[in-house]
């Protein structure tokens, strides 16, 4: 890779509510993909003078400078904290069905197709390309239950340059015979084989890492949850993901299957799967006790406002409360669980859904601001994935996962900008009206990855 030098506007979150707009900034990325310099208010004619002070980066002196024009800016790459990769081509199907009907009639039959490695290879290539096109530089992926297909997903992410957490989906019961692990023992063995493969694929987890992925408690018996918990204990840095209080039907069935637990927080915590490495998707219907455990155990929440509001029931998670309590919250597309694979749509729907919750509860404080939604899509998501030391902002020392945004008129225009617009105006217009046509370039670790 070659060094990257940008002069212009850079925008990133510094807190859930505060967005920092850096104007006339200078941002320098080393050939290793790390940010080595960031300053604001530097005249473009002084760029070379500042670059010359970076004696530890000799290649910079000959590197070209990208000057961002009015209507162009950089933001951190989007993180999708909850994504079912096999559902790429089923998105939009089964809207209005309750969760178990949707799984059994739409999702499980579709995911069963990934038994065919060629189908997996073709579909996952489209999936990863599609998310990179839309600015998703990091995705936390559920694979199917198939070990070989999940290996293909991980390899595809690595080859195409997307940062990813990839998990073999564990599901040994409560699913059709054609799409279920042979047994809990076989499910764990396939998981161990996948983990061994991942250690060879990306030994230092620089770009792709494994994540333990019980689909949800309904599809797992005690033997399977216990086995996954033992792996989590053995691998103290490995992430964990599953679903949590997603639907009223799911909550009730879980209680029937695990009558010894009065709530899902205690269930997952008992098996060692509820801690600071856990990503819990949806989190729509937790009680006060469970919310307290989310905070106490430092569990991350993957908020999926599109799928939460287009299934068989309209769900509005208490995101305002999570943010105010300091619980980690990111955004997820859920892929086939909704109608959109766009994090920009998730940003907008997060705001819309919070307004709906405010009306439902009579509490205007429930509203999530646009700044907070952008935070969830970037730095908040990085915290959920335990990657905030690497990505999520433009801090010096972090890896350069970023999007170059353009709102200039031309082939890519979908956000109209006028000369009188401030940078804050342009940023708001992009978040509320932009799409992948505005995402001119996508970088992961300093490498351009958008085809």
């Amino acid at each position: 890779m070659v060094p990257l030098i940008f002069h212009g506007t850079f925008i990133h979150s510094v807190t859930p509510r505060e967005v920092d707009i850096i104007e006339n900034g200078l941002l320098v990325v080393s050939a290793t993909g790390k940010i080595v310099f960031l300053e604001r208010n530097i005249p473009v004619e002084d760029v070379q003078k500042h670059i010359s002070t970076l004696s530890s980066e000799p290649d910079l002196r000959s590197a070209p400078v990208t000057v961002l024009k009015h209507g162009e800016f950089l933001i951190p790459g989007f993180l999708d904290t909850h994504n079912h990769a096999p559902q790429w081509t089923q998105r939009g199907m089964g809207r209005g069905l309750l969760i178990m009907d949707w799984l059994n009639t739409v999702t499980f039959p579709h995911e069963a197709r990934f038994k065919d490695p060629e189908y997996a290879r073709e579909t996952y290539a489209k999936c990863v390309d599609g998310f990179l096109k839309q600015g998703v530089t990091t995705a936390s992926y559920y694979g199917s239950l198939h070990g070989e297909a999940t290996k293909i997903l991980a390899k595809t992410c690595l080859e195409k340059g997307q940062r990813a957490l990839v998990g073999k989906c564990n599901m040994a019961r409560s699913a059709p015979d054609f799409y279920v692990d042979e047994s809990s023992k076989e499910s764990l063995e396939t998981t161990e084989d996948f983990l061994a493969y991942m250690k060879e694929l990306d030994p230092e987890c620089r770009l792709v890492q494994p994540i333990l992925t019980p689909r949800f408690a309904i599809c797992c018996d005690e033997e399977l949850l216990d086995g996954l918990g033992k792996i989590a204990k053995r691998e103290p840095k490995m992430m964990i993901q599953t679903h949590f209080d997603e639907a009223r039907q799911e909550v009730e069935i879980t209680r029937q299957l695990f009558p010894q637990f009065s709530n899902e927080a205690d269930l997952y915590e008992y098996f060692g799967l509820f801690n600071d490495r856990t990503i819990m998707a949806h989190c729509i219907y937790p009680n006060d006790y469970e919310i307290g455990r989310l905070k106490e155990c430092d569990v991350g929440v993957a908020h999926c406002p599109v799928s939460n509001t287009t299934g068989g029931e309209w769900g509005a998670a208490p995101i305002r409360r999570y943010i105010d309590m300091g619980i980690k919250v990111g955004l997820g597309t859920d892929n086939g669980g909704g109608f959109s694979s766009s994090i920009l749509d998730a940003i907008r729907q997060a705001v819309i859904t919070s307004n709906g919750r405010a009306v439902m509860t009579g509490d205007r404080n429930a509203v999530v601001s646009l700044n907070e939604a952008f935070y969830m899509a970037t730095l908040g998501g990085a915290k959920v994935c335990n990657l905030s030391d690497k990505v999520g902002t433009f801090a010096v020392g972090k890896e350069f996962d970023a999007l170059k945004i353009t709102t200039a008129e031309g082939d890519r225009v979908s956000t109209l900008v006028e000369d009188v617009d401030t940078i804050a105006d342009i940023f708001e217009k992009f978040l509320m009206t932009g799409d992948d046509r505005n995402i001119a370039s996508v970088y992961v670790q300093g490498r351009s990855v958008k085809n």
Side-chain angles (χ1 to χ4, degrees):
M1 294 190 300
V2 297
L4 300 171
I5 303 172
F6 297 92
H7 182 273
T9 300
F10 318 121
I11 303 174
H12 64 178
S13 294
V14 290
T15 71
R17 293 177 176 83
E18 182 184 358
V19 169
D20 186 18
I21 299 178
I22 301 170
E23 299 187 55
N24 292 311
L26 177 61
L27 189 150
V28 181
V29 181
S30 72
T32 61
K34 288 194 174 183
I35 300 170
V36 295
F37 186 87
L38 176 64
E39 291 290 342
R40 65 184 72 222
N41 298 323
I42 293 178
V44 68
E45 58 269 20
D46 290 346
V47 166
Q48 291 300 331
K49 179 176 70 175
H50 284 84
I51 291 174
S52 66
T53 65
L54 299 173
S55 56
S56 62
E57 302 290 337
D59 294 341
L60 292 175
R61 297 183 184 182
S62 59
V65 178
T66 299
V67 178
L68 304 174
K69 304 187 293 287
H70 181 70
E72 296 180 334
F73 52 91
L74 295 181
I75 61 174
F78 294 141
L79 291 93
D80 189 339
T81 61
H82 182 66
N83 187 315
H84 290 271
Q87 298 174 14
W88 171 255
T89 53
Q90 74 164 73
R91 188 170 53 257
M93 297 288 291
R95 298 302 79 208
L97 294 176
L98 292 177
I99 184 169
M100 297 308 296
D101 292 333
W102 177 75
L103 287 171
N104 286 311
T105 62
V106 178
T107 300
F108 290 159
H110 179 75
E111 290 191 12
R113 298 185 66 188
F114 286 80
K115 182 179 181 180
D116 178 0
E118 288 306 313
Y119 179 76
R121 191 169 289 107
E122 177 185 350
T123 304
Y124 285 150
K126 294 176 182 177
C127 172
V128 175
D129 280 342
F131 280 104
L132 286 174
K133 177 182 178 181
Q134 295 176 98
V136 174
T137 53
T138 299
S140 187
Y141 284 124
Y142 287 59
S144 64
L145 63 79
H146 312 101
E148 183 61 28
T150 309
K151 292 176 184 178
I152 290 170
L153 172 59
K155 186 178 181 182
T156 301
C157 293
L158 186 65
E159 290 176 345
K160 292 183 177 293
Q162 186 182 49
R163 194 184 300 272
L165 296 79
V166 180
K168 174 260 187 287
C169 194
N170 299 103
M171 40 186 299
R173 68 170 177 178
S174 302
D177 291 342
F178 61 80
Y179 191 61
V180 66
D181 290 318
E182 292 179 7
S183 65
S184 292
K185 181 176 181 291
E186 186 270 340
S187 185
L188 292 167
E189 288 173 349
T190 304
T191 299
E192 293 282 18
D193 178 69
F194 173 69
L195 298 181
Y197 173 82
M198 292 294 287
K199 288 182 179 180
E200 294 181 2
L201 182 70
D202 191 357
E204 297 179 2
C205 298
R206 290 198 67 250
L207 197 66
V208 181
Q209 61 177 291
I211 180 168
L212 295 176
T213 307
R215 187 169 206 119
F216 56 178
I218 292 173
C219 283
C220 301
D221 58 18
E222 293 186 28
E223 178 186 356
L224 182 50
L225 292 174
D226 182 65
L228 292 171
K230 287 177 179 175
I231 295 174
K233 184 177 181 180
R234 185 190 76 208
E235 304 286 348
K237 294 183 178 180
M238 190 174 294
M239 296 291 290
I240 305 158
Q241 62 182 351
T242 192
H243 300 76
F244 187 81
D245 288 339
E246 177 181 2
R248 292 184 178 92
Q249 184 187 50
E250 173 264 323
V251 172
E252 180 56 33
I253 294 174
T254 302
R255 287 177 179 169
Q256 293 172 6
L257 292 173
F258 295 91
Q260 67 272 42
F261 300 103
S262 61
N263 61 80
E264 293 186 19
D266 285 349
L267 188 163
Y268 288 113
E269 190 170 1
Y270 175 83
F271 289 106
L273 300 170
F274 195 85
N275 53 49
D276 61 353
R277 296 176 282 140
T278 303
I279 303 172
M280 286 295 186
H282 304 292
C283 303
I284 303 173
Y285 301 108
N287 57 35
D288 289 344
Y289 172 80
E290 288 178 298
I291 293 175
R293 296 311 296 159
L294 288 170
K295 170 62 176 176
E296 183 68 23
C297 298
D298 199 23
V299 171
V301 172
H303 179 38
C304 305
V306 174
S307 61
N308 292 353
T309 53
T310 56
E313 58 183 283
W314 198 90
I319 300 303
R320 162 88 286 125
R321 186 174 178 185
Y322 294 154
I323 293 174
D324 290 346
M325 290 179 63
I327 293 172
K328 299 180 296 190
V329 187
L331 290 180
T333 62
D334 205 10
N335 213 342
F339 59 79
S340 173
S341 58
S342 168
I343 287 290
L344 282 170
D345 281 345
I347 288 173
R348 297 159 195 157
Q349 194 74 359
V351 175
I352 293 168
T353 304
S354 71
N355 274 280
R357 185 176 179 89
V359 172
M360 291 163 59
T361 61
D363 179 12
R364 286 302 302 169
N365 292 326
V367 174
V368 170
S369 70
L370 191 58
N371 279 0
E372 289 168 327
F374 175 69
Y375 168 86
M376 288 189 283
T378 53
L379 181 55
K383 289 180 180 294
V384 168
C385 293
N386 282 0
L387 291 170
S388 59
D389 61 328
K390 292 184 178 181
V391 298
T393 69
F394 291 132
V396 171
K398 289 192 178 184
E399 297 177 12
F400 187 66
D401 286 16
L403 313 180
K404 178 186 173 184
I405 306 303
T406 178
T407 55
E409 290 194 43
D411 292 341
R412 294 191 179 96
V413 65
S414 60
T415 299
L416 296 176
V417 172
E418 299 184 287
D419 291 340
V420 296
D421 288 339
T422 66
I423 292 173
D425 293 336
I426 296 170
F427 178 58
E428 182 177 5
K429 283 185 174 182
F430 164 68
L431 291 182
M432 291 305 297
T433 70
D435 58 35
D436 59 272
R437 291 173 293 175
N438 297 105
I439 302 174
S441 302
V442 179
Y443 299 92
V444 177
Q445 292 180 339
R447 170 189 171 192
S448 178
V449 294
K450 180 173 180 175
N451 292 335

